[in-house]
Amino acid sequence: MEGKQIVIVEDEATSRLAMEKALKKKNYNVISFEDSLKALDYIKTNPTFIDLVITDFRMPGMNGMELIKEVTSLESDISIILVTAFGSIESAVEAMKLGAEDYLAKPIDMFELRKRVEKIINNKKLKREVDNLKQRIDKFYSFSNIIGKSPQMKNLFEKVLMVAPTDTTVLITGESGTGKELIANAIHQNSLRKNNIFLPINCAAIPAEILESELFGHEKGAFTGAVNQKVGKFELASNGTLFLDEIGEMSLDLQAKLLRIIEQKEFMRVGGNKLIKVKTRIIAATNQNLEELVKSGKFREDLYFRLKVVHLKIPPLRERKGDIPLLVNHFLKKFGELHGKPEISISPEALKVLEHYRWPGNVRELQNLVESLVIFSNDDIITAENIPDEIISQSDFKTEIKKPHIIENSDNILIKLGEPLEEIEKKVILKTLRMFNGNKTHTAKALKIGLRTLHRKLKEYGEEQ
Ligand SMILES: Nc1ncnc2c1ncn2[C@@H]1O[C@H](COP(=O)(O)OP(=O)(O)OP(=O)(O)O)[C@@H](O)[C@H]1O
Ligand SMILES: [Mg+2]
């Protein structure tokens, strides 16, 4: 328990020293005061270093109750234990009301003291860890981390904020990589369920027979292999949000069960005969056209209508090109920090190339590209030359930049696919000859052909009589 700072305020020397000794033995950092006013002074100057104050009740100057009032009014995280000689339940109750966490009656049992202190310190540690984790999760998923300032995205954010606090079922559609899961998560994080689980399940990744028991659970012996009872995802997420990804892949049979759970909030486990009630919020997503699936009989119409009451459509990236620079900079910062290149940036020309590309894989594709550009860049600036050919050639922005490896220079030749081999051979021979300043012996040696062959070829080309 090193580094934990405990302040003892006690005018009675024997009791003070005994407590000090008992706690120091456990490696706490202890500082004791005989005078409560001096103690308060110390606490006020070091509020963030102190974890716990143990104070006597009856003291000259300022009594324990007043000290508690003072300490709890500080902007700090200090816990308080009140020690009282009078064992009076009233003063203990009052102290607790004022914000003390615990109390001990005199004579103090040192074993008990250590136990209580340890409990308080551990709880604080746990609380700090939880707070920290929550903050990190909030930051990670928070709304502000969904990048977008295009009118379409702003409109989407508004709808998310409106629908989040309700328990309504939501359908999210959009091409692959547009951020469906991110939006689903934002709905959850902005809802009253945010401190409970967000449980994603991909209906396409799990075989139909297994999906049913994954979702609804099963009773022991429901089928071969069901050796134990299993609780399904609907039950697990009863206080949270269940994200049914790729809903278009769900079998018609399961679709019927899903409709029932949405409408009646109850279901039966596989092999069970008991109706189980749940409060699960359902968010479904798909990149398929559900209307088409309904027409072809692969998706239940009633479920479709039930799902699309609240329908959020995420536009593909190519329809909101204004978001591209923002996303590029966001990912540059993110991956720059991750890969130890925090200063990395992109040239205006390279950015133009990216802005005028169609992004069939949407934000995911953009994110992956930026990460690889960051990893493979040697400089602090990414230029059009660093961008892969496929993207350059499919971008509507035509850059003047020619890739260095396709420029013909003194020690290479440019070969077009489909060029006759004879032509290629001629180019190689003539250029090699030029490279060796007309020295035929060196040329033949480099090309691993006989000197006579070289002469013959040069004659054919009309370069020699
Ligand atoms: N607007 C955005 N801002 C920041 N990151 C985004 C945005 N949209 C998508 N992303 C990122 O792109 C990746 C793909 O997003 P997500 O998984 O939510 O897409 P999806 O629509 O569910 O795709 P699929 O249909 O392939 O499952 C994720 O890493 C996500 O964090
Ligand atoms: Mg997804």
Side-chain angles (χ1 to χ4, degrees):
M1 280 303 160
E2 264 136 337
K4 295 296 158 200
Q5 171 79 256
I6 300 176
V7 175
I8 297 175
V9 193
E10 160 72 276
D11 58 317
E12 225 178 277
T14 32
S15 160
R16 187 176 64 242
L17 290 173
M19 286 197 278
E20 194 176 322
K21 199 169 142 208
L23 294 174
K24 276 188 172 160
K25 228 186 196 166
K26 285 280 169 193
N27 281 331
Y28 292 111
N29 258 327
V30 185
I31 177 157
S32 315
F33 291 90
E34 187 181 344
D35 181 336
S36 51
L37 285 166
K38 279 195 187 134
L40 180 62
D41 211 37
Y42 176 79
I43 295 168
K44 277 186 168 167
T45 37
N46 305 285
T48 52
F49 290 111
I50 300 163
D51 289 279
L52 173 67
V53 172
I54 303 172
T55 177
D56 191 15
F57 178 35
R58 271 248 168 129
M59 289 176 295
M62 176 185 260
N63 76 27
M65 219 58 85
E66 289 162 28
L67 183 69
I68 292 175
K69 268 191 215 158
E70 289 283 345
V71 174
T72 50
S73 71
L74 298 174
E75 274 270 355
S76 76
D77 224 352
I78 303 174
S79 301
I80 303 165
I81 298 180
L82 179 77
V83 176
T84 161
F86 301 92
S88 83
I89 200 82
E90 286 87 344
S91 58
V93 168
E94 165 136 17
M96 303 288 268
K97 269 194 203 150
L98 288 175
E101 263 183 60
D102 209 344
Y103 71 94
L104 281 168
K106 282 186 183 172
I108 300 168
D109 175 351
M110 291 305 153
F111 178 75
E112 194 60 31
L113 172 75
R114 286 203 293 245
K115 213 169 85 186
R116 308 272 184 104
V117 168
E118 192 181 11
K119 194 171 140 214
I120 287 182
I121 299 279
N122 280 341
N123 279 348
K124 276 180 113 77
K125 203 173 125 207
L126 210 66
K127 187 175 169 293
R128 239 175 256 147
E129 279 169 12
V130 170
D131 284 352
N132 193 306
L133 209 66
K134 269 202 190 138
Q135 251 177 22
R136 274 168 47 196
I137 291 172
D138 273 357
K139 210 173 142 213
F140 193 72
Y141 287 122
S142 77
F143 213 37
S144 54
N145 256 13
I146 307 183
I147 307 302
K149 60 163 189 169
S150 57
Q152 299 99 305
M153 288 307 274
K154 278 192 186 152
N155 184 280
L156 188 66
F157 296 161
E158 271 168 30
K159 285 192 182 149
V160 166
L161 283 177
M162 263 151 51
V163 71
T166 72
D167 274 344
T168 306
T169 302
V170 180
L171 173 66
I172 304 173
T173 57
E175 289 179 11
S176 179
T178 45
K180 293 185 291 295
E181 183 153 359
L182 212 59
I183 290 288
N185 216 310
I187 295 175
H188 176 76
Q189 294 299 331
N190 284 280
S191 78
L192 301 171
R193 296 169 176 251
K194 69 172 181 202
N195 291 324
N196 295 306
I197 195 167
F198 173 82
L199 196 58
I201 180 159
N202 187 330
C203 303
I206 302 170
E209 325 82 70
I210 299 175
L211 184 61
E212 176 165 13
S213 83
E214 280 292 312
L215 289 174
F216 300 99
H218 60 69
E219 296 296 345
K220 191 171 168 177
F223 46 85
T224 348
V227 275
N228 287 312
Q229 184 202 57
K230 180 185 165 106
V231 170
K233 302 271 196 261
F234 276 104
E235 273 182 273
L236 283 175
S238 185
N239 294 313
T241 306
L242 183 64
F243 176 53
L244 297 172
D245 204 359
E246 312 225 17
I247 186 92
E249 298 294 323
M250 197 181 253
S251 69
L252 285 165
D253 182 38
L254 275 185
Q255 288 174 27
K257 294 192 170 145
L258 176 61
L259 184 64
R260 183 195 169 92
I261 217 174
I262 292 176
E263 296 195 321
Q264 275 144 45
K265 304 269 170 219
E266 59 185 23
F267 71 100
M268 280 185 220
R269 295 198 186 121
V270 178
N273 50 16
K274 240 184 18 221
L275 275 175
I276 295 168
K277 288 221 164 287
V278 280
K279 298 177 294 183
T280 325
R281 182 189 203 163
I282 297 162
I283 302 181
T286 180
N287 52 29
Q288 287 178 281
N289 185 335
L290 284 187
E291 212 162 351
E292 294 286 315
L293 292 184
V294 169
K295 276 188 199 144
S296 61
K298 294 199 182 91
F299 204 82
R300 289 181 66 113
E301 188 170 35
D302 47 7
L303 179 60
Y304 174 55
F305 283 118
R306 189 64 194 73
L307 285 176
K308 73 167 199 167
V309 173
V310 176
H311 184 179
L312 303 181
K313 296 178 193 164
I314 312 184
L317 189 53
R318 65 183 166 279
E319 284 174 18
R320 45 179 164 111
K321 293 201 155 136
D323 286 343
I324 294 174
L326 214 64
L327 283 162
V328 169
N329 284 316
H330 170 75
F331 293 135
L332 277 179
K333 189 158 177 282
K334 176 174 161 187
F335 295 117
E337 272 161 22
L338 188 67
H339 299 296
K341 299 174 183 173
E343 299 297 322
I344 196 140
S345 64
I346 186 161
S347 77
E349 187 181 31
L351 190 59
K352 279 265 174 298
V353 172
L354 301 185
E355 275 179 88
H356 290 84
Y357 173 67
R358 283 180 60 77
W359 300 108
N362 293 293
V363 185
R364 183 183 290 113
E365 187 185 4
L366 176 69
Q367 175 174 263
N368 292 344
L369 175 75
V370 174
E371 179 163 25
S372 83
L373 288 174
V374 168
I375 291 175
F376 292 115
S377 74
N378 298 319
D379 286 318
D380 264 351
I381 182 146
I382 293 167
T383 62
E385 278 130 13
N386 302 125
I387 295 175
D389 290 348
E390 316 84 83
I391 290 180
I392 299 253
S393 61
Q394 289 177 51
S395 170
D396 293 334
F397 182 79
K398 291 300 165 217
T399 146
E400 289 306 304
I401 293 197
K402 295 212 182 75
K403 299 257 163 176
H405 64 269
I406 59 169
I407 296 173
E408 186 157 11
N409 62 27
S410 57
D411 59 15
N412 66 39
I413 61 163
L414 191 59
I415 299 171
K416 266 221 290 298
L417 293 180
E419 206 167 338
L421 287 175
E422 256 179 31
E423 283 299 315
I424 297 171
E425 191 183 62
K426 181 175 167 186
K427 272 195 205 169
V428 175
I429 291 176
L430 293 181
K431 201 141 183 205
T432 309
L433 188 63
R434 213 174 308 147
M435 191 167 88
F436 288 113
N437 292 322
N439 184 320
K440 291 176 189 139
T441 315
H442 287 165
T443 303
K445 211 169 168 190
L447 295 174
K448 296 208 168 128
I449 54 173
L451 193 56
R452 241 173 320 154
T453 314
L454 181 62
H455 280 298
R456 184 166 47 80
K457 298 261 178 206
L458 290 174
K459 257 188 201 148
E460 277 172 29
Y461 306 147
E463 296 280 326
E464 229 180 50
Q465 262 80 55

